[in-house]
Each structure stands twice: as C-alpha cells, then as structure tokens.
Amino acid sequence: MIKNTIHLLIIFLSIATIHCEAKKILFIGNSYTSQCSRTITDLFKNESPEWKLTFHTKGGKDLAYHHADPRTKPMVLSQKWDFVVLQEQSQKSGLGGKFSKDFRDAVNSFSTMIRKNGSTPCLYLTWGRKAGDKKNPKMYPDFQTMQKKIAYAYLEAGKENRARVLPVGLAYSKIKQQDQALFESLYKKDGSHPSEIGAYVVSSVFWGGLTGKDPRNIKWRGGIEHQKAVRLRQVAQASLQELTAH
C-alpha cells in the first residue's frame, strides 16, 4: 500500500513538473528566423522537449509588414504564448531615420498587443553582415559598426518595452574578437545569413535566454564537432551574462 502510494506520488510530481516547465513560443520574423528554425526546433526537442515552438516568417520582411499583415494579430491572440520573439529585417533597425522609427513603432505596437494577451515580448538581436553592408556602406562599412548600431537599436527598444532581449549579435561579436576563422564560419556564402554553425549559436542563445538555464549545459550539438560546440555554447552564455550586467 505504501509502495503504491509513493509510486503514484512520483508519477504525479513528474506530470506536475512537466506541466510547469511546458512553454509555448511564437517566433515572428524573416529568413534570419526561418533558416534557423530546424536547428532551434531540434535543440529544444532534445533539451526541453515539453516546449512547443511555432514560426510565422516571410523572407525579407520587416516587423512593420508583419504588424500590418492581417494574419499576424489573430495568430498572436490565438492562445496565451509564454514568449513571442520578434525579429526585424536585418538592416533596418540601425539605419536611423524612418527605418529605425518604423522598427521602434512596430516593437512598441507588438509589445502592447503581446502583453495584453498575457505573453512576454522578446527581441531577437541579430548580427551585422560579415564584411559590412554593401548597400549601405556609409552607415555600415564593416561588421563591428553595423553590429553596434543594430545592438543599440534593439537594446533601446528592449528597455522601452520591457522586452526580453536575446543577444545573438553580441555572441557573433565575441566570436569575431576571439577567432576570425570561427566567426567567418557563422555565415553562409552571402555573408549575411546564418550557416549551420551560426544557427547553433542562435539556438543556444534562445534556449538560454528563454528557459533561464545555462547554455553550457546543452548536450545536443547537431553534428558540430564537440570542442567547437562547447566554445559556441560558452559564448552564448557569456553574451547572456553581459546583457544582464548592463
């Protein structure tokens, strides 16, 4: 009798723990999100299988587009997401003028909507192009200049809206400072979109930033060489720590 009672109690506590840990995330963005979605999904499936992930993306589009899209609001309000992760088009947030204003306005509007629905808004702080932006050479002549402007825009928007910032771009910057070859491997040939290695950095930062756990404890490495995966997870944690220190 006592053994049966203990067994039932263990089962109950296990179910209760899973229920408490289960979270739902909605990602809204463009190709910087969609091209990482498989890696993000696989990492969460292995490390936090009870979490449910949904992606709403369209290549090349910005947050203003998504906010005006009649499909987006019903999706945001369709259920009580724990987190809604917002990603701006990769160039616009730090360009200044109308572009930065549109970014701030979209984040403000989305954050209000998300909070009214009982969810937490999050900002996916992206990275600069590997060699700067050829279309905007005066504003973004190199990676570091572009990264600083993008980071500033996201961090300010995060403060203004009490949104959780997921600092992937800070991780890219740290890797560049430590190892140029590893930094270059974060990109596809276009010098903009994330490679499989870059997607692993994105996923590690997301997992740490959303679960509140240390990315260095991630076991899944998605085919990446062991020591390299360890380094990437260390940088993910360092970036999250740097953000909380601000």
Side-chain angles (χ1 to χ4, degrees):
M1 179 68 178
I2 294 175
K3 286 185 178 180
N4 288 339
T5 302
I6 293 173
H7 181 65
L8 289 172
L9 180 60
I10 291 171
I11 292 174
F12 173 79
L13 290 174
S14 298
I15 292 171
T17 300
I18 290 172
H19 179 73
C20 288
E21 291 182 354
K23 303 287 184 181
K24 294 179 291 186
I25 315 171
L26 173 62
F27 296 89
I28 298 174
N30 60 30
S31 56
Y32 272 37
T33 298
S34 64
Q35 291 186 22
C36 296
S37 61
R38 180 171 60 84
T39 306
I40 297 168
T41 300
D42 287 347
L43 190 150
F44 271 84
K45 187 182 295 182
N46 281 272
E47 302 296 330
S48 298
E50 67 281 358
W51 286 52
K52 306 299 181 186
L53 280 55
T54 302
F55 295 87
H56 179 63
T57 62
K58 191 172 180 62
K61 300 303 182 182
D62 59 12
L63 287 175
Y65 169 88
H66 283 297
H67 191 265
D69 183 352
R71 297 169 298 176
T72 306
K73 183 175 181 179
M75 180 170 287
V76 172
L77 302 180
S78 65
Q79 54 187 294
K80 186 178 177 180
W81 307 95
D82 292 279
F83 303 104
V84 180
V85 180
L86 306 172
Q87 178 241 316
E88 177 61 298
Q89 191 273 347
S90 61
Q91 298 151 296
K92 291 184 177 180
S93 63
L95 278 176
K98 181 180 184 301
F99 297 108
S100 294
K101 182 179 184 301
D102 287 348
F103 165 65
R104 291 193 303 272
D105 289 347
V107 172
N108 292 348
S109 297
F110 263 120
S111 295
T112 299
M113 183 196 310
I114 291 164
R115 287 195 180 283
K116 282 185 177 179
N117 196 47
S119 308
T120 299
C122 305
L123 301 181
Y124 171 6
L125 195 169
T126 55
W127 52 87
R129 305 282 170 89
K130 183 168 65 175
D133 184 5
K134 293 179 181 179
K135 292 184 177 179
N136 299 283
K138 290 184 179 180
M139 290 295 295
Y140 296 145
D142 51 45
F143 167 81
Q144 289 291 12
T145 302
M146 186 172 184
Q147 185 56 54
K148 286 179 181 178
K149 290 181 178 180
I150 290 172
Y152 178 80
Y154 272 93
L155 293 173
E156 287 299 302
K159 290 177 185 176
E160 185 175 344
N161 293 281
R162 295 178 293 113
R164 185 174 302 193
V165 178
L166 304 171
V168 179
L170 300 187
Y172 267 56
S173 185
K174 286 183 181 297
I175 292 170
K176 181 175 176 59
Q177 292 166 11
Q178 296 173 9
D179 187 329
Q180 180 65 24
L182 182 58
F183 168 74
E184 292 182 5
S185 74
L186 300 175
Y187 296 86
K188 290 184 176 178
K189 291 182 179 180
D190 64 3
S192 172
H193 291 87
S195 65
E196 286 296 318
I197 296 172
Y200 188 76
V201 174
V202 173
S203 305
S204 297
V205 171
F206 280 6
W207 186 83
L210 295 171
T211 66
K213 298 178 181 179
D214 190 330
R216 292 174 296 185
N217 295 326
I218 292 171
K219 299 292 187 292
W220 183 82
R221 53 189 175 90
I224 297 173
E225 186 269 325
H226 176 73
Q227 283 304 119
K228 184 179 291 185
V230 168
R231 290 184 65 189
L232 298 174
R233 296 195 300 266
Q234 288 172 339
V235 172
Q237 174 62 7
S239 302
L240 289 164
Q241 288 180 326
E242 178 183 333
L243 194 66
T244 56
H246 283 181

